[in-house]
Amino acid sequence: MSALPVGATWRDVYPDIPKHWDLADEETWTSPYRPLGSFDYPTVPCGPAVLIRLPLGSTDSDLSQLAAEAAVENWIVYGSGFVPIENPEFPDRLAYVVLHVATTELQYYAFAEWLEKHDAVNLAGCTRPVGTKFAPEPGT
């Protein structure tokens, strides 16, 4: 930035910053929606998602079992799927769990706490919290 003329802004440095972003207001920062996989909502609105770590050797049936256990606790899992990783040395398997679009913020964090109680499941991150905003569709 020091090579730019006085008065240059971050938009001069990064011209791809979306026009609707107010750089002083994080609430305006959005990104285009992309489904996490075939198990995710194809378009917005979408449900919140968490990223979990499972032991190597975990399968789709393990994710289905987790969804069934969640249903007993009144959480609705819309879908789940493994993150494709090409590194055979990675110590575990990463997977996304996508909750129903109507999940509240309180339910979302309670679900994450519930996941932490499973011996074979570790919460790796809150990938898409409730209320995540996405960029407007092109032309809107």
Side-chain angles (χ1 to χ4, degrees):
M1 203 154 156
S2 62
L4 294 173
V6 174
T9 68
W10 284 112
R11 290 186 189 280
D12 297 313
V13 177
Y14 299 107
D16 292 337
I17 293 174
K19 301 280 187 242
H20 68 277
W21 284 22
D22 175 352
L23 298 180
D25 181 7
E26 290 184 24
E27 291 292 313
T28 66
W29 300 0
T30 58
S31 58
Y33 178 74
R34 285 187 304 274
L36 298 170
S38 60
F39 51 84
D40 195 6
Y41 287 89
T43 60
V44 290
C46 59
V50 295
L51 182 64
I52 60 173
R53 292 178 17 219
L54 296 164
L56 285 178
S58 296
T59 64
D60 288 335
S61 64
D62 295 313
L63 291 176
S64 296
Q65 177 63 33
L66 188 64
E69 291 174 23
V72 170
E73 300 293 327
N74 293 320
W75 285 297
I76 301 171
V77 173
Y78 175 83
S80 59
F82 288 101
V83 176
I85 295 182
E86 297 180 20
N87 182 352
E89 302 299 317
F90 203 74
D92 46 24
R93 292 199 74 187
L94 293 173
Y96 290 111
V97 179
V98 179
L99 298 173
H100 188 271
V101 69
T103 302
T104 67
E105 188 171 9
L106 185 60
Q107 290 169 328
Y108 176 67
Y109 290 113
F111 178 74
E113 286 180 20
W114 175 79
L115 281 173
E116 285 286 296
K117 294 177 185 173
H118 285 75
D119 291 334
V121 178
N122 289 306
L123 187 63
C126 293
T127 302
R128 191 168 60 211
V130 172
T132 301
K133 296 178 184 176
F134 294 99
E137 294 293 322
T140 60

